[in-house]
Amino acid sequence: MRIVVIGGVAGGMSCAARARRLSEDAEIVVLERGEYVSFANCGLPYHVSDEIQDRRALLVQTPESLRAALNLDVRIGHEVTGINREAKTLAVRTPDGVTTLGYDALVLAPGARAVRPPLPGLDLPIVRTLRTVPDAERIRAMVTSEEHTSELQSR
């Protein structure tokens, strides 16, 4: 049996780990479009503020550690672009091109996008959302750049 989980952060990784506990024999594939899985979301503000200086401290697991610990096939940089429910296949954009992947069971845990309510000033270049490790890196770079530092101080 092949179980495919779309989304490799909190919900997806929890589901994949539970599926492994329920079946030692299943092939479990986790597809994550980003470059990080299983990271400490609550630590992101501390990374931005430099209390956590090294972003590696945010990374709870890696594809390699998940393979070693739970025999999970975790594929980062893999974005699902289509689902054929009748054929039980997925169209997947990978770093090497587009491919098709079959499944017996499918879990959708792709995460979310930050809600940006229609507020004045929300479209300013200094306004950012913080949900991922790359978001934290961009904000850190912005806060430490001289151009944005003077802009932030003038507000």
Side-chain angles (χ1 to χ4, degrees):
M1 168 179 251
R2 178 185 285 163
I3 302 168
V4 176
V5 178
I6 300 173
V9 187
M13 292 314 305
S14 294
C15 181
R18 177 72 176 148
R20 174 55 68 224
R21 285 191 294 277
L22 293 173
S23 174
E24 291 183 18
D25 300 326
E27 176 187 4
I28 302 172
V29 180
V30 179
L31 304 174
E32 169 56 41
R33 77 172 154 215
E35 60 181 296
Y36 300 102
V37 294
S38 192
F39 59 87
N41 302 55
C42 59
L44 294 175
Y46 298 100
H47 183 52
V48 170
S49 70
D50 212 30
E51 287 180 57
I52 297 175
Q53 295 178 354
D54 188 348
R55 79 167 160 225
R56 290 176 295 192
L58 299 171
L59 307 179
V60 178
Q61 297 283 348
T62 65
E64 297 78 20
S65 67
L66 289 162
R67 177 173 295 284
L70 297 171
N71 193 25
L72 300 177
D73 180 0
V74 178
R75 304 175 189 181
I76 58 174
H78 283 62
E79 181 179 15
V80 175
T81 59
I83 301 172
N84 183 329
R85 292 186 344 207
E86 290 77 30
K88 290 191 169 187
T89 60
L90 305 170
V92 183
R93 183 178 306 123
T94 76
D96 299 321
V98 177
T99 189
T100 301
L101 180 66
Y103 64 87
D104 297 301
L106 180 63
V107 176
L108 303 176
R113 288 199 174 108
V115 174
R116 295 178 58 96
L119 297 173
L122 202 61
D123 58 342
L124 292 171
I126 63 167
V127 177
R128 300 281 190 237
T129 58
L130 177 60
R131 271 193 3 86
T132 66
V133 175
D135 290 343
E137 291 294 320
R138 281 190 289 276
I139 294 170
R140 276 175 61 107
M142 183 179 83
V143 168
T144 58
S145 80
E146 289 183 31
E147 173 188 337
H148 287 327
T149 301
S150 62
E151 188 175 346
L152 289 169
Q153 289 171 345
S154 70
R155 296 196 182 272

